[in-house]
Amino acid sequence: MGSILRSNGSLNVKKIAIIGAGPSGLAAARFLLAERAFDTIDVYEQQSEVGGVWYYHPNVTGRITVPQTTPHGPPELPIWPKDGKAPLFSNPMYDHLNTNIPHGLMGFSDLEFPPESLLFPTRQDVQSYLVKYSQEIRHLIKFSTQVKNIVQSPRASEPQWELTAKSTITDEEERKDYDAIVVANGHYSVPFIPSVLGVEAFNAAYPSVITHSKVYRAPEPFTNKKVIVVGSAASGLDIGTQISQVSKKPMLNSVRTSSPLKFGQENKEEVPPIAEYIVEDRAVRFEDGRVEKDIDAIIYCTGYLYSYPFFEELDPTLVTTGRRVRGLYKQLFNITHPTLAFTALSQKIIPFPLSEGQGTAIAKVWSGKLDLPTKVEMESWEEERIAELGDGTAFHVLGYPKDAEYVNELHDWVQSAGDGFAKEPAYWAEKQLWMRENYAEIRKKFVDTGCEAKTMAELGFEYKKRND
């Protein structure tokens, strides 16, 4: 059963729940609040502070399963730190991290990073920035509260969502009905570790050798060890560079496709994907037949599976393999249930400004000021994207210039409602497009010069307005 529409075709939404107080959940809350069209906006956050992946805990790593190929399972278990007042949840943040996006492009449009921030801010600066960004909506947030289950309410006269949540401190449960749900819990909870020949027996024999970037915190434990890092996307590149400085040389970087970005290559050697694990000699065989023995550590930087343990009863199902979220229009609205919205699912994007556009689109549609297309038209949009990119992770991969086009498309779509912006989202003009196109080269120069620059000019980059 889908969501009920008013006679004029708009959605009847007054009570909204947001799952997650990371960057996209905070943006959704601020734009929904600004619309002044809703009676209730509740934000459920299982951690004790905002920030999502940016909320760092050095000694909370959780456990991983090897291999990990299914997105289905119960909600993540909380971890009580010693002498802690509230439990914590593992996330993929690590000790020494700078963003891979310059703050002039990364930030929300209505809050600049402090002038003392590095050009590519530290994780500490980003977390402080998000705490500041949350100030006007903190009263909406239910901290240390984990969403356990969401079903269509059996009590309501019209279809609503019954949300069950549990305090991670007291274990007290609550049930509450909502007209609409924003799912902003991110996609960095369930690591993807592929099933490779012999991996289960190898992991049983050497249970501490295979790990995932989610539980990486610092390079020091890998000092003088023989290490393989699997993957060369952002986390594989950064974590591999850190580890390669202290591990045995060269650190082996197992990749299917060579990364166009090269950091710390003097300490690394690219090798093919792992084809087999061999218990004898603690070895692996690569796809080219090469065998490496006496491996001390293997870190998979292979991404995550989309997972929604609180939506296991939803029909149609949201995830099957976990490689993409099914049944979405514009990467945002559930086609069957348009009172469900999913934020920041896309990959290879600039997430903060993109979340602004999504937040204002949700606010306009759910307030009845902007109409969605027909279900048939929305299904056609999804089918066309599958035909173009396939039915896997590539469905959510944007990259440049598609992410820029999406940010501006959301802005213009909302503007077409005709009643103006209650709160205007990001729009990328020429300077932002220039930064987006060149940020990888800028970051390489930032790393090569010691990660100390605060401006692009210090690195020899300067935006010059084009003369049309």
Side-chain angles (χ1 to χ4, degrees):
M1 180 168 52
S3 301
I4 281 185
L5 303 176
R6 292 194 183 109
S7 59
N8 65 359
S10 62
L11 295 161
N12 186 16
V13 173
K14 289 298 180 184
K15 297 182 293 182
I16 300 170
I18 300 171
I19 304 173
S24 70
L26 295 175
R30 284 173 60 114
F31 279 87
L32 287 166
L33 188 65
E35 201 63 35
R36 297 183 180 273
F38 310 105
D39 298 334
T40 300
I41 302 171
D42 291 332
V43 183
Y44 291 85
E45 172 52 56
Q46 64 184 8
Q47 302 275 23
S48 58
E49 183 52 275
V50 304
V53 295
W54 296 99
Y55 185 42
Y56 173 68
H57 335 292
N59 300 314
V60 179
T61 58
R63 302 181 65 180
I64 61 171
T65 301
V66 179
Q68 176 69 58
T69 59
T70 175
H72 303 290
E76 192 173 359
L77 294 175
I79 302 167
W80 277 93
K82 186 177 181 181
D83 301 323
K85 296 181 179 179
L88 302 171
F89 291 83
S90 174
N91 74 19
M93 187 55 54
Y94 45 93
D95 192 7
H96 302 291
L97 182 142
N98 291 85
T99 69
N100 58 3
I101 306 167
H103 57 64
L105 186 64
M106 178 181 183
F108 293 109
S109 59
D110 59 349
L111 181 64
E112 293 185 354
F113 272 84
E116 64 270 19
S117 294
L118 295 174
L119 177 61
F120 294 85
T122 65
R123 61 162 180 80
Q124 297 95 323
D125 283 346
V126 178
Q127 175 61 14
S128 297
Y129 175 87
L130 292 171
V131 170
K132 185 176 181 179
Y133 184 75
S134 74
Q135 291 306 305
E136 70 180 51
I137 48 102
R138 290 184 75 88
H139 63 287
L140 306 177
I141 304 173
K142 299 172 180 284
F143 288 108
S144 298
T145 305
Q146 186 180 51
V147 174
K148 307 293 286 187
N149 194 35
I150 301 174
V151 297
Q152 291 211 313
S153 173
R155 298 187 301 274
S157 57
E158 294 184 0
Q160 288 182 314
W161 301 104
E162 180 189 79
L163 184 150
T164 302
K166 185 176 183 178
S167 167
T168 62
I169 298 174
T170 67
D171 287 337
E172 182 180 353
E173 273 196 0
E174 64 172 312
R175 286 184 177 84
K176 193 169 179 180
D177 287 347
Y178 294 95
D179 301 316
I181 308 284
V182 178
V183 185
N185 66 323
H187 47 91
Y188 298 103
S189 294
V190 181
F192 172 64
I193 300 178
S195 181
V196 178
L197 180 64
V199 69
E200 292 181 354
F202 186 97
N203 187 61
Y206 312 109
S208 63
V209 171
I210 300 174
T211 61
H212 187 274
S213 57
K214 181 178 180 179
V215 300
Y216 172 81
R217 291 295 178 268
E220 287 76 17
F222 303 95
T223 300
N224 296 323
K225 292 186 177 181
K226 189 172 184 177
V227 179
I228 301 172
V229 170
V230 181
S232 60
S235 62
L237 183 64
D238 195 26
I239 290 171
T241 299
Q242 291 187 14
I243 290 175
S244 70
Q245 294 172 359
V246 300
S247 67
K248 288 183 178 178
K249 309 294 190 291
M251 186 210 78
L252 302 180
N253 188 195
S254 174
V255 298
R256 188 163 299 281
T257 304
S258 181
S259 173
L261 288 176
K262 305 294 183 184
F263 296 157
Q265 291 305 111
E266 65 275 9
N267 298 320
K268 301 177 186 177
E269 178 186 353
E270 287 191 349
V271 293
I274 298 170
E276 182 181 4
Y277 282 86
I278 305 168
V279 172
E280 184 180 1
D281 297 324
R282 205 166 68 245
V284 301
R285 180 175 61 82
F286 297 106
E287 287 186 355
D288 63 357
R290 171 180 171 178
V291 174
E292 285 288 339
K293 301 178 181 180
D294 301 318
I295 302 298
D296 295 309
I298 300 170
I299 303 98
Y300 275 91
C301 300
T302 43
Y304 298 81
L305 299 171
Y306 294 94
S307 178
Y308 303 98
F310 42 81
F311 265 134
E312 288 294 322
E313 300 176 42
L314 187 67
D315 182 30
T317 186
L318 292 170
V319 292
T320 52
T321 64
R323 304 306 286 174
R324 80 172 182 96
V325 183
R326 304 168 66 85
L328 295 187
Y329 173 66
K330 287 190 182 293
Q331 307 268 346
L332 183 57
F333 291 100
N334 186 275
I335 295 170
T336 302
H337 308 283
T339 52
L340 295 180
F342 295 76
T343 61
L345 298 181
S346 301
Q347 300 183 32
K348 297 187 177 180
I349 60 168
I350 313 299
F352 291 18
L354 183 143
S355 296
E356 289 189 319
Q358 291 184 327
T360 192
I362 293 167
K364 290 295 186 185
V365 169
W366 286 354
S367 64
K369 299 168 185 173
L370 189 65
D371 290 331
L372 291 171
T374 66
K375 184 178 180 183
V376 171
E377 291 172 319
M378 291 191 287
E379 288 172 339
S380 294
W381 181 93
E382 183 184 32
E383 290 164 4
E384 288 170 4
R385 187 161 182 83
I386 293 171
E388 177 189 359
L389 298 170
D391 200 21
T393 303
F395 181 90
H396 292 302
V397 174
L398 295 183
Y400 183 79
K402 289 184 178 179
D403 63 337
E405 293 167 356
Y406 183 54
V407 166
N408 289 352
E409 176 189 347
L410 289 169
H411 179 282
D412 292 346
W413 183 36
V414 170
Q415 194 170 36
S416 72
D419 67 330
F421 293 106
K423 182 178 179 65
E424 185 168 4
Y427 183 89
W428 284 355
E430 189 178 293
K431 183 176 182 179
Q432 288 79 18
L433 295 176
W434 175 83
M435 279 194 286
R436 177 65 180 93
E437 186 174 6
N438 293 283
Y439 86 89
E441 185 181 352
I442 298 169
R443 189 174 192 276
K444 186 177 188 308
K445 188 71 174 289
F446 175 80
V447 173
D448 290 345
T449 56
C451 300
E452 296 180 349
K454 293 184 178 181
T455 67
M456 289 186 292
E458 292 176 51
L459 302 176
F461 291 88
E462 183 179 359
Y463 164 71
K464 294 182 179 179
K465 186 175 178 63
R466 289 181 297 186
N467 294 319
D468 295 328

